[in-house]
Amino acid sequence: MSTDVFSAALQRLDLGAAHAKVHPETLLRLRQPKQLIEVSIPVRMDDGSLRIFTGYRCKHDDTRGPAKGGIRFHQDVTVEEVKALAFWMTFKCACVGLPFGGGKGGVIVDPRTLSTAELERLSRGYMRAIAFAVGVDVDVPAPDVNTGPMIMAWMADEYAVVTGKREPGVITGKPVAVGGSLGRDDATARGGYYVLKELEKRLGWSERSAKRVVIQGFGNAGENMARLCAADSGYKVIAVSDHTGGRYNPDGLDIALLAAHKEETHKLLPAARCNAGTREISNAELLELECDLLVPAAIENVITEANAGKVKAKAILELANGPCTPGADVTLRGKGVHVVPDILANAGGVTVSYFEWTQNKSGFYWELPRVHEELRKKMGAEFSEVYDLSVEKKIDMRTAAYAHALQRLAPALESTGTRRVYAKE
Ligand code: NAD
């Protein structure tokens, strides 16, 4: 099976379609993005030189509402990856019942090589280049890997400069002071955590012994997940990592210590300065640790046919997009590992982005407890639907999540007619 990320995404569509009432024309339409834009962004560097960066924005589908999806700044961004990420957003928004389609953007850049002023010029330049294609009811970007609230604030501000009107709902994940939602900062992890609380009920995990959690990635998704699990007596986080490597302690890591160090230095605390009994570990070793829950929260394609057989976790909660390849899925299913798929597990971020967008549109801002409660209700209800469908049809949760999403996408795409209507089949 292919590990090309867009082909992998399409393979999941076919699996889900086998269990949903969907017309072949709908599948044909969903196999291609509706719009794909490539832009070049000239940026004046601090030393006076000019660099041209390449960026993309993809609108996969907007039948159920404006396209929605983040912007990634990474040196490995490719057009295929942007298309796959936009495709996943269409299915994610449908899976959790948000009135959005799917979009995604990316710029080929290693942002760590830029000064803050260069990063601002790049962010503003990217928004200037795609401004004609985004809008509060058209396509609504958000943060993704290596982009955060300040970059969203620069982009919202640039959009206001270009269009002459200040429309905060054009982008989500903004700082709270300029129309961001309370609770957006840890929403992806919190949504995943609420899903985990439902999963533990279904799996009958008792709270008597703390379940061991391993997390790959210590950024927005991974670090917040580590904090939430560490604060829950039912769990102990035994390993975390970033792109430089991991830290492992079978008795549980002191997450507060790691988080404080990262806040100060943007780096993972060396093992020698973690709580006693911690040692360094590679990312490859981390994925194969004996544990109850493995949370990939970094990048795509980390669990493949090559290492899936060595995964010892009882369950996997995909906070990253696309961490398991289709080939890995087959192996994991055979081993009885419960995989809560990305389009469900990490939908907390886009759900609170939806709350932010509705707050921007109405001009009425919510208190934090309301954000948490609405998120908990949404994630719990959609998890239950997907889990029950997987039990009813005897399929894995990924296939069930795609089938569940298609049950919302198909009526929308078919509302304007299929061959059945025109040819009176
Ligand atoms: P981030 O940039 O805040 O953090 C990424 C983390 O992964 C960092 O700790 C980085 O060091 C680590 N990392 C990068 N390459 C790695 C590698 N090769 N091996 C191990 N670790 C590596 O990004 P994020 O926002 O936390 O996003 C992480 C994943 O979650 C992505 O797949 C993203 O698409 C997905 N996601 C994020 C959100 C969100 O709201 N932030 C929402 C949905 C999905």
Side-chain angles (χ1 to χ4, degrees), residues 24 28 34 42 72 75 78-79 94 128 131-132 164 204 215 221 230 245 247 289 306 308 320 332 352 380 392 410:
L28 209 58
K34 261 193 167 173
R72 176 173 293 199
Q75 61 276 17
T78 64
V79 70
R128 265 198 311 283
F132 74 95
I215 302 176
R247 309 290 176 262
L289 281 174
L332 294 170
V352 177
E392 181 200 319

Side-chain angles (χ1 to χ4, degrees), residues 195-214:
V195 161
L196 174 60
K197 299 307 282 179
E198 294 300 319
L199 179 74
E200 71 180 27
K201 286 186 214 157
R202 303 299 187 120
L203 299 185
W205 282 359
S206 97
E207 293 216 357
R208 259 167 289 155
S209 64
K211 300 292 171 212
R212 295 153 305 165
V213 181
V214 167

Side-chain angles (χ1 to χ4, degrees), residues 252-269:
L253 289 164
D254 183 338
I255 297 299
L257 203 60
L258 280 145
H261 183 78
K262 199 193 137 205
E263 169 94 35
E264 217 176 284
T265 64
H266 304 287
K267 293 201 172 99
L268 210 52
L269 185 64

